Amino acid sequence: MADNKIIDILTDFSLTRQEASIYAALLNHGDMTGYEVAKDTGFSRSNVYAALSALVEKGAAYLVEGEATKYRPVEIKTFTSNKINELKKSAEYLEAYGPQKVIAADGYITIVGAKNIKNKIREMLEKTELRLYLMASAKIIGEFENELQQLVASGKKIVLLTEDYTLKGAKVYNTNLVQGQIRFITDSAYVLTGELTDDEHNTCLYSGQKNLVEVMKEALKDKITLLA
């Protein structure tokens, strides 16, 4: 059986958990009959055959005809690349023809789950025009190092409050942090604050509300003053 992280990631590519487990079994063993898959995974034969048919339909397996029908896994790089290309085309269509209502950013939005919080951070980084202030652990900041390097290269002002971390071109202040704490301001206009510890129950508050942005800016400036 594949570990849970592998199964979780495969479900991001439109597979159910059972389909993902069976796909992982095929990748581990190569061509297998439905009976062999059921024996290896412990799933019932009826569920296995239904899942194998779904894998064929979803582009994760081939049907190999012979004395006994077997199923061959599509190479994982091929499967994931095909899915990504399909999603890109779907995304392009939605961007061109989907609803275009503008959502105001001056309210208070609660973002739940580490994955969603990280996606919001990437969005904020992508939209940064002038400067950003980010207080977070080196582990968190390291996940966005490529994006931060690109911002530095494009002349944006980057200020980091963290520990044991360096980024060429950025101003870094070493400080002690509460585990998982994150404070993030971009262009003196948007703020993200809360907890990020790779937990699905993590929550952060995002807002373009001027009062909150100003309070957060002053708090970070005061901390920088003490560290300078």
Side-chain angles (χ1 to χ4, degrees):
M1 279 283 194
D3 65 49
N4 286 331
K5 184 171 183 180
I6 296 295
I7 300 303
D8 288 341
I9 293 173
L10 285 172
T11 61
D12 290 337
F13 288 85
S14 78
L15 302 184
T16 66
R17 293 192 69 80
Q18 189 172 77
E19 291 164 2
S21 296
I22 291 172
Y23 179 50
L26 291 174
L27 289 167
N28 284 328
H29 300 290
D31 293 7
M32 299 175 78
T33 64
Y35 171 78
E36 290 169 334
V37 171
K39 187 176 180 181
D40 182 74
T41 61
F43 298 135
S44 70
R45 289 179 70 178
S46 59
N47 286 341
V48 163
Y49 281 110
L52 286 168
S53 295
L55 289 175
V56 172
E57 291 175 5
K58 294 178 179 180
Y62 300 116
L63 195 60
V64 182
E65 301 290 354
E67 290 185 10
T69 299
K70 292 190 174 185
Y71 296 84
R72 177 175 300 167
V74 172
E75 190 175 287
I76 197 162
K77 183 177 180 180
T78 300
F79 170 64
T80 54
S81 295
N82 288 341
K83 285 296 178 185
I84 290 169
N85 287 334
E86 290 171 11
L87 282 172
K88 283 182 178 177
K89 290 179 181 177
S90 297
E92 288 169 1
Y93 183 89
L94 288 174
E95 289 172 12
Y97 303 107
Q100 299 295 323
K101 182 177 180 180
V102 176
I103 300 175
D106 56 356
Y108 296 96
I109 300 171
T110 299
I111 302 173
V112 180
K115 183 188 295 185
N116 295 325
I117 293 168
K118 289 178 183 180
N119 286 339
K120 192 62 181 178
I121 292 171
R122 290 189 178 92
E123 178 191 339
M124 292 174 70
L125 289 169
E126 184 179 343
K127 293 180 177 179
T128 299
E129 296 180 356
L130 299 172
R131 67 184 69 85
L132 68 81
Y133 294 81
L134 175 57
M135 183 170 76
S137 69
K139 179 176 181 288
I140 292 173
I141 292 175
E143 291 192 47
F144 306 97
E145 184 167 311
N146 288 339
E147 291 91 337
L148 290 168
Q149 287 176 335
Q150 290 172 11
L151 288 171
V152 169
S154 63
K156 309 297 191 298
K157 178 182 178 181
I158 310 297
V159 180
L160 305 175
L161 291 85
T162 184
E163 76 285 283
D164 300 322
Y165 186 83
T166 58
L167 180 69
K168 186 176 180 181
K171 183 66 177 178
V172 180
Y173 295 91
N174 286 301
T175 184
N176 295 321
L177 299 169
V178 175
Q179 183 179 5
Q181 182 185 59
I182 182 168
R183 304 287 185 267
F184 185 26
I185 301 172
T186 59
D187 295 327
S188 300
Y190 303 102
V191 63
L192 181 78
T193 178
E195 180 185 34
L196 180 55
T197 60
D198 284 331
D199 189 300
E200 62 179 335
H201 301 298
N202 286 158
T203 61
C204 277
L205 183 69
Y206 170 78
S207 181
Q209 191 69 257
K210 187 175 180 180
N211 290 342
L212 178 61
V213 173
E214 289 301 320
V215 168
M216 191 67 63
K217 276 177 59 180
E218 290 304 314
L220 290 182
K221 284 181 179 179
D222 288 345
K223 195 167 187 66
I224 289 170
T225 300
L226 291 173
L227 295 171

